[in-house]
Amino acid sequence: MMARDHELKKDLAATLETRKELGPEYEAELVDAFLEKVDRKLEAAIDRRVRRQAAETQMAVARGDRPRTGGPGTGSFGERFGFAVASLVLAVPLSAIAVVNAHLPGLLVSWAGIVGVNAVNAAGVFPWQRGRQKRDDGASGWE
């Protein structure tokens, strides 16, 4: 990393020195050339990172592990978001029923349940979330 930073600093110094020699009329071309170098170096770094992550994923699959998608046992962001949205949509009629039948205590109890269900989902302790996790002994976890 330090070598690449040193190269960029050297390239920038050369570009600035060339600008001094050629004058401001070539400034746009010099800046474009320097930015192309930075862009190539950035793309190379991104390519290396993507290849490394792909190799790590392939190694994990080869070992029999599941690739990591999110937090431990919580599913993807879309699944968590969908669950939260569904629980909030269902919270509206539940709140109305609770208020009509039990007033404020009913509302508090219904919202405690809604918060509890979402907390349990976020913790990843529902049976369908445990089934996704690979157990140490190789079983599926659906027992």
Side-chain angles (χ1 to χ4, degrees), residues 1-140:
M1 187 75 159
M2 294 295 282
R4 283 183 253 141
D5 290 343
H6 181 68
E7 281 181 38
L8 280 178
K9 287 179 184 178
K10 202 164 100 175
D11 287 344
L12 179 60
T15 301
L16 292 174
E17 189 63 35
T18 305
R19 183 201 176 270
K20 286 179 188 174
E21 292 174 9
L22 297 178
E25 58 270 4
Y26 291 102
E27 184 172 334
E29 290 84 4
L30 292 171
V31 169
D32 286 342
F34 178 74
L35 289 178
E36 278 185 40
K37 289 178 186 177
V38 171
D39 190 41
R40 283 193 305 267
K41 289 180 188 281
L42 187 60
E43 285 180 9
I46 290 170
D47 287 343
R48 280 192 302 275
R49 181 174 290 171
V50 168
R51 283 194 305 269
R52 186 181 71 235
Q53 288 175 342
E56 289 172 357
T57 301
Q58 288 175 345
M59 290 297 294
V61 169
R63 286 191 305 259
D65 299 339
R66 285 189 63 106
R68 294 185 55 129
T69 55
T74 58
S76 71
F77 173 77
E79 292 170 346
R80 293 188 314 257
F81 183 75
F83 188 90
V85 168
S87 69
L88 289 176
V89 167
L90 293 174
V92 174
L94 287 174
S95 298
I97 293 168
V99 167
V100 167
N101 291 322
H103 305 290
L104 182 61
L107 181 66
L108 294 176
V109 168
S110 68
W111 272 95
I114 292 165
V115 169
V117 166
N118 278 287
V120 168
N121 181 52
V125 295
F126 282 133
W128 60 84
Q129 290 173 322
R130 276 185 273 141
R132 283 193 203 133
Q133 297 172 3
K134 184 86 170 166
R135 289 188 355 188
D136 292 335
D137 62 358
S140 68

